């Protein structure tokens, strides 16, 4: 019996506990902050107990042993373990805000002064940037979820969606977003569609989204929209086979417009439908999913 293993890593304060709870709800046996030295013995024990689904969270608290993890993951894959690796990321500003709100101490902060706020923030930012360096290799080999501006319920939904995707050679994640709220950190490719005709300026269409038929019909009547879809489709079709040969598990394609409500949502829906005939294709709507 093959073991289904999900490894969750990421920045401190990015939502690893929320993701782990989502996996627990999905029926996974979950372990938080497992030291890398114990990973292989732990997996061996799970095999003995004929466990089916296990989720493990690791973070920078493991310190000097973190470099062991990539090689361990390769060994587990060769041994037949069905492995998915998720990395939760967030902007530095978002992480600083969360630490300020909770008054928690960053695991890499050795000396925080509570009386000198600017100095405290400086030390915190330094700790966050150091953490990024220490986790860079783990991030490169994982599917990244940007948690900067999403709610815990959205994160739980995204995690469950990813683990439910079939273990194919490549999974495509199409994500719509609003440029006014920032570009997603988890994007492998970003396409700007703000130059396309905007339904926002049609009063009857303004409260609707790119998933509603009146907006879909309106956008389909514009040649520029069809041309943009064709250009994105052509680009991805040309390079997806090469990405699959490079052993990529996930590719996130972000489509951005001004508000993340009409044009980007429409194109994500159409692209996910079109590419879903060949690849495992998931879709996210960052500005809509939390509504």
């Amino acid at each position: 019996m093959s073991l289904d293993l999900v490894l969750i890593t990421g920045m401190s304060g990015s939502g690893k506990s929320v993701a782990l709870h989502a996996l627990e709800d999905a029926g996974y046996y979950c372990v938080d902050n497992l030291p890398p030295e114990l990973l292989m013995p732990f997996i061996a024990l799970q095999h003995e107990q004929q466990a089916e689904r296990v989720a493990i969270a690791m973070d920078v608290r493991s310190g000097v042993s973190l470099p062991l993890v990539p090689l361990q993951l390769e060994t587990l894959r060769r041994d037949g373990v069905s492995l998915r690796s998720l990395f939760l990321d967030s902007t530095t500003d978002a992480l600083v805000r969360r630490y300020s709100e909770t008054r928690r101490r960053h695991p890499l902060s050795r000396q925080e002064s509570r009386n000198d706020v600017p100095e405290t923030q400086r030390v915190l930012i330094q700790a966050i940037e150091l953490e990024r360096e220490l986790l860079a290799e783990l991030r490169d080999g994982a599917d990244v979820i940007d948690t900067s501006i999403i709610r815990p319920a959205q994160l739980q939904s995204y995690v469950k969606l990813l683990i439910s995707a079939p273990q194919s050679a490549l999974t495509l994640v199409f994500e719509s977003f609003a440029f006014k709220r920032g570009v997603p950190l988890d994007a492998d490719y970003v396409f700007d569609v703000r130059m396309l005709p905007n339904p926002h300026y049609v009063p009857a269409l303004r409260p609707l989204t790119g998933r509603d038929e009146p907006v879909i019909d309106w956008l389909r009547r514009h040649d520029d929209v069809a041309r943009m879809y064709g250009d994105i489709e052509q680009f991805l079709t040309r390079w997806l086979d090469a990405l699959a040969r490079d052993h990529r598990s996930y590719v996130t394609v972000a489509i951005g417009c001004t508000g993340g409500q009409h044009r980007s949502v429409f194109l994500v829906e159409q692209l996910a439908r079109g590419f879903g005939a060949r690849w495992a294709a998931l879709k996210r709507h960052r500005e809509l999913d939390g509504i």
Side-chain angles (χ1 to χ4, degrees), residues 14-30:
S14 61
K16 291 188 295 297
S17 296
V18 173
L20 208 60
H21 289 155
L23 291 169
E24 189 172 34
D25 291 343
Y28 282 76
Y29 175 67
C30 298

Side-chain angles (χ1 to χ4, degrees), residues 177 179 183-184 186-193 232 252-256:
F177 72 95
F179 271 99
V183 177
D186 48 17
D188 295 297
Y189 296 103
V190 177
F191 294 95
D192 183 352
V193 300
I232 297 173
T252 299
V253 180
I255 313 291

Side-chain angles (χ1 to χ4, degrees), residues 77-118:
R77 287 190 177 97
R78 288 197 302 268
D79 291 343
V81 173
S82 175
L83 174 64
R84 298 171 189 254
S85 182
L86 304 181
F87 187 98
L88 306 188
D89 204 351
S90 192
T91 64
T92 297
D93 286 346
L95 294 174
V96 168
R97 183 177 65 253
R98 290 170 190 171
Y99 274 102
S100 298
E101 290 171 352
T102 62
R103 296 184 177 273
R104 292 176 55 200
R105 182 171 181 166
H106 191 281
L108 297 181
S109 295
R110 293 188 177 89
Q111 47 180 354
E112 292 185 12
S113 171
R114 295 190 180 278
N115 296 323
D116 187 344
V117 174

